[in-house]
Amino acid sequence: MSDPHDEPEVPDTLPEALIQRIDSLELPELKAVLSYVERRIDALRVPIEEEIEATAAGEVLQIENYGVYALVRKHPPNPDGPGVNTDIVSLYHVHRESQPDGAESLHWAYLGDVHNSEQIRCDSCGARLDKNASVCPHCGNKHISQSETGE
């Protein structure tokens, strides 16, 4: 385990004057710089919806962007030939993932097939859910199903 008081390794790509200025900052100022840099990176990135559309195999039906991740419903590619399998709607959790070389890629986590595309809203966070879902994948809370609400 490294000593928390060790100086961080200085990247070769940053100008010495910038490193000196950053090193002179106190903790509150450093946190403000970090917040600004994170917002600046987000402003320069291709929006996650565009990356999903450009890289998804199959046909994207819906993207719900939650900032740090997105939920994606799509028809998967047809395993028997060209096109998509319109009989299936699959649900994915997608987020950006940093690679060791500093590059980013999308990480797709398959959550399952949606057999009934009718939706309700989570009582806790308001997210749209499959009407048969028992737990909200967004906030983890159980929601009241349509049958319990009398709808």
Side-chain angles (χ1 to χ4, degrees), residues 5 8 10 16 29 35 43 56 61 65 81 90 115 119 122 124 133 135:
H5 300 290
V10 178
E16 183 62 31
E29 295 165 316
S35 176
L61 302 171
N65 186 347
S90 299
H115 300 287
Q119 296 180 344
C122 172
S124 177
V135 176

Side-chain angles (χ1 to χ4, degrees), residues 59-110:
E59 177 188 3
V60 174
L61 302 171
Q62 179 183 31
I63 300 171
E64 294 178 43
N65 186 347
Y66 292 93
V68 296
Y69 72 93
L71 289 178
V72 179
R73 291 176 188 267
K74 69 181 190 98
H75 290 305
N78 188 344
D80 299 327
V84 296
N85 186 346
T86 57
D87 295 332
I88 299 173
V89 175
S90 299
L91 181 63
Y92 292 85
H93 179 276
V94 182
H95 69 273
R96 288 188 169 102
E97 185 173 68
S98 295
Q99 303 301 315
D101 64 0
E104 286 185 336
S105 62
L106 294 181
H107 177 82
W108 292 72
Y110 173 73

Side-chain angles (χ1 to χ4, degrees), residues 33-149:
V33 167
L34 177 61
S35 176
Y36 171 76
V37 168
E38 288 172 341
R39 288 190 317 271
R40 181 80 176 117
I41 288 170
D42 285 342
L44 294 173
R45 278 183 174 148
V46 172
I48 194 167
E49 296 92 343
E50 288 180 29
E51 275 192 72
I52 288 168
E53 289 281 354
T55 61
E59 177 188 3
V60 174
L61 302 171
Q62 179 183 31
I63 300 171
E64 294 178 43
N65 186 347
Y66 292 93
V68 296
Y69 72 93
L71 289 178
V72 179
R73 291 176 188 267
K74 69 181 190 98
H75 290 305
N78 188 344
D80 299 327
V84 296
N85 186 346
T86 57
D87 295 332
I88 299 173
V89 175
S90 299
L91 181 63
Y92 292 85
H93 179 276
V94 182
H95 69 273
R96 288 188 169 102
E97 185 173 68
S98 295
Q99 303 301 315
D101 64 0
E104 286 185 336
S105 62
L106 294 181
H107 177 82
W108 292 72
Y110 173 73
L111 299 177
D113 291 337
V114 179
H115 300 287
N116 185 341
S117 60
E118 290 184 54
Q119 296 180 344
I120 58 173
R121 291 214 175 259
C122 172
D123 290 337
S124 177
C125 70
R128 289 186 299 213
L129 309 169
D130 180 80
K131 80 171 194 173
N132 294 323
S134 60
V135 176
C136 177
H138 309 284
C139 67
N141 290 326
K142 293 184 178 182
H143 67 278
I144 298 174
S145 69
Q146 285 182 329
S147 61
E148 293 172 350
T149 61

Side-chain angles (χ1 to χ4, degrees), residues 10-11 13-25 30 33 36-37:
V10 178
T13 56
L14 295 178
E16 183 62 31
L18 179 59
I19 297 298
Q20 289 175 357
R21 179 66 181 122
I22 290 172
D23 286 347
S24 71
L25 299 176
L30 281 173
V33 167
Y36 171 76
V37 168

